[in-house]
Amino acid sequence: PSAALCLDKFEEIRQAKGRTIEEVAPKVDADLRNVRRWLSGKPVYLQNIARLAAVLGTTSAALRADAAEAELPAKTENPCR
């Protein structure tokens, strides 16, 4: 199974941790090209989202666009789009 990343949240957390995507990619056992695909909106396997979350010190749910959408009130603009 796969899901889309909440790109805004990923970038917010990544930058707060002072990590570049070049640093994150090998830590999640992924090719830099794949990480760039994820950041362009391509689906990410759930196991890779879990790895990203572990590296960034957060939860998988915090990085998943579908989880972020479920938590928003109906009239709130989705920060993951």
Side-chain angles (χ1 to χ4, degrees):
S2 61
L5 279 179
C6 180
L7 301 178
D8 291 341
K9 192 66 173 175
F10 172 80
E11 285 298 310
E12 174 187 326
I13 295 169
R14 183 188 61 75
Q15 290 175 7
K17 298 285 183 178
R19 299 273 175 91
T20 66
I21 60 169
E22 290 82 5
E23 293 170 329
V24 170
K27 292 183 181 291
V28 298
D29 197 28
D31 185 86
L32 181 58
R33 184 178 62 201
N34 285 333
V35 175
R36 287 188 174 134
R37 284 182 186 146
W38 302 340
L39 296 177
S40 73
K42 300 290 183 196
V44 184
Y45 287 118
L46 297 180
Q47 66 189 18
N48 290 330
I49 292 177
R51 289 179 185 147
L52 284 170
V55 166
L56 297 174
T58 190
T59 64
S60 294
L63 296 179
R64 288 179 55 181
D66 58 346
E69 289 175 5
E71 294 174 5
L72 291 174
K75 293 187 178 184
T76 303
E77 184 178 322
N78 184 348
C80 297
R81 292 187 185 177

